[in-house]
Amino acid sequence: IPRGGNPGFRNFTQVAENFHEPYVENYSLGIQREFTSRAVLEIRYVGNHEIGNFQTVNANPELAGLVANGFSSFIPAGVTPCTTVGTPGNAAGIFGEPTDRANCNFTNVRNRTNTAFSRYNGLQSEFRVAAWHGFSGAASFTYSKTLDNTSEIFGTNSGGNSVAGAQNPFDIGAGEKSLSGLDFPKIASLYVIYDLPFYKSQHGLLGKILGGYQANATYRYSSGQVYSPLTLPGFSSSCQLSFDASYYGPSTCRPFLGNPAAPIDAVGGCTNAAASDCGLADWTQLSVNGVVVPVSKSSVHWIYNEDVAAQFFKTPYGNTSRNPGVRGQNISAVNFSMFKTTNLNERVSFRLEAQVYNLFN
């Protein structure tokens, strides 16, 4: 900004005045059953509720697009667009669009607040065996669900917390409540340690050669990570165009849902808000080549959120939730290792190791 210029024209990142550490409420109930002195089964319910998590908030929303497209009802009572010409809040946005932000004194304001929350509920089980005929190991399985309204203050542009901001800047709580980026509903693990029984005392040369072997194996399974489909800012003038482009890259506004059974990469776009099917067309052909190739709603997974679609659905905000249940690849991996320990004397031993990661890949 030139000397003497108004600093309100710059993008701001600030921290809420009462910014503080979050706190967690934990609760659990479990039972344990010992079958023998070497075998134990444990089953427990575990839950927690975290309050005051960190969240990135659009503290000075653009209102001009909502007003121009007939969505003034989405603006809370008492919040009015800035119409004072020459002020930061009335300045044109990054795409040249009118902004009419809520506060005339600033353009984009990104605020760090304690308005996020999370809930975890899980059923955890484990079966353990210790030193039974040279065998030790454990198998565990967890079935759980984690909900929150954001999983980080930053966006990942991929799984977990694809975009950090809320699509509706006036509904950052309930409107964003969905599966957490840390939600992995099914997690299983297994480890096995087995001391081979041959020549355990390692007497003589033959004992040194054939004794001291141990085999180990681990297995881990985990559900894939959830993610939100990304869209680019600029197509829906009702969304926070300048804020998203300045801070995130992708748009905070999410798409509308087509057919959940359609291929995940099948996207349609509306061409006529008055048509019964909104004039649905292949979005790739429409946006890249300007060619209208009609498609049915049953053939597309998503409907791109732009001005025509917003008019058809009568809302500027996509009806797909944050992290709408689509997941990346599951993790399923077996690791294996073999140890050979040779006792040279009472104090010194020599060990050879062979390890294989992700054995079956």
Side-chain angles (χ1 to χ4, degrees), residues 92-230:
I94 197 170
F95 295 100
E97 80 281 4
T99 56
D100 297 354
R101 294 176 171 88
N103 187 337
C104 285
N105 297 319
F106 299 96
T107 56
N108 294 313
V109 179
R110 178 173 61 179
N111 199 16
R112 312 292 196 197
T113 66
N114 290 104
T115 49
F117 56 84
S118 69
R119 286 187 179 275
Y120 169 85
N121 291 281
L123 182 66
Q124 303 175 356
S125 60
E126 184 179 47
F127 180 69
R128 300 186 299 271
V129 176
W132 181 70
H133 299 290
F135 171 87
S136 296
S140 64
F141 178 75
T142 297
Y143 182 74
S144 65
K145 188 173 187 178
T146 308
L147 300 172
D148 60 23
N149 62 327
T150 187
S151 304
E152 242 287 4
I153 61 170
F154 299 109
T156 62
N157 291 337
S158 57
N161 206 51
S162 304
V163 180
Q167 71 165 340
N168 182 349
F170 301 111
D171 189 7
I172 63 175
E176 295 298 299
K177 183 179 179 180
S178 188
L179 292 176
S180 169
L182 305 176
D183 178 68
F184 300 95
K186 297 177 183 179
I187 297 178
S189 64
L190 172 72
Y191 78 85
V192 175
I193 300 172
Y194 182 55
D195 292 311
L196 274 66
F198 314 113
Y199 296 94
K200 296 184 69 172
S201 61
Q202 297 190 24
H203 291 312
L205 178 61
L206 189 61
K208 299 293 185 186
I209 296 173
L210 299 181
Y213 286 93
Q214 182 186 92
N216 307 280
T218 64
Y219 171 71
R220 181 187 175 217
Y221 172 86
S222 174
S223 303
Q225 190 171 46
V226 291
Y227 63 90
S228 298
L230 298 179

Side-chain angles (χ1 to χ4, degrees), residues 204-329:
L205 178 61
L206 189 61
K208 299 293 185 186
I209 296 173
L210 299 181
Y213 286 93
Q214 182 186 92
N216 307 280
T218 64
Y219 171 71
R220 181 187 175 217
Y221 172 86
S222 174
S223 303
Q225 190 171 46
V226 291
Y227 63 90
S228 298
L230 298 179
T231 61
L232 295 176
F235 287 97
S236 177
S237 57
S238 300
C239 298
Q240 302 296 305
L241 306 185
S242 292
F243 185 85
D244 293 347
S246 297
Y247 289 120
Y248 298 134
S251 172
T252 51
C253 277
R254 297 187 281 267
F256 297 96
L257 185 63
N259 175 16
I264 199 71
D265 59 349
V267 182
C270 291
T271 63
N272 183 357
S276 60
D277 65 347
C278 81
L280 204 59
D282 182 278
W283 175 252
T284 301
Q285 293 294 330
L286 186 64
S287 61
V288 176
N289 302 317
V291 178
V292 176
V293 179
V295 294
S296 64
K297 183 179 179 181
S298 63
S299 67
V300 297
H301 198 111
W302 317 105
I303 298 174
Y304 208 95
N305 187 348
E306 40 70 54
D307 287 339
V308 179
Q311 292 299 325
F312 177 80
F313 287 100
K314 296 180 173 52
T315 174
Y317 305 123
N319 58 11
T320 57
S321 65
R322 186 180 131 265
N323 293 335
V326 289
R327 294 182 179 272
Q329 185 176 7

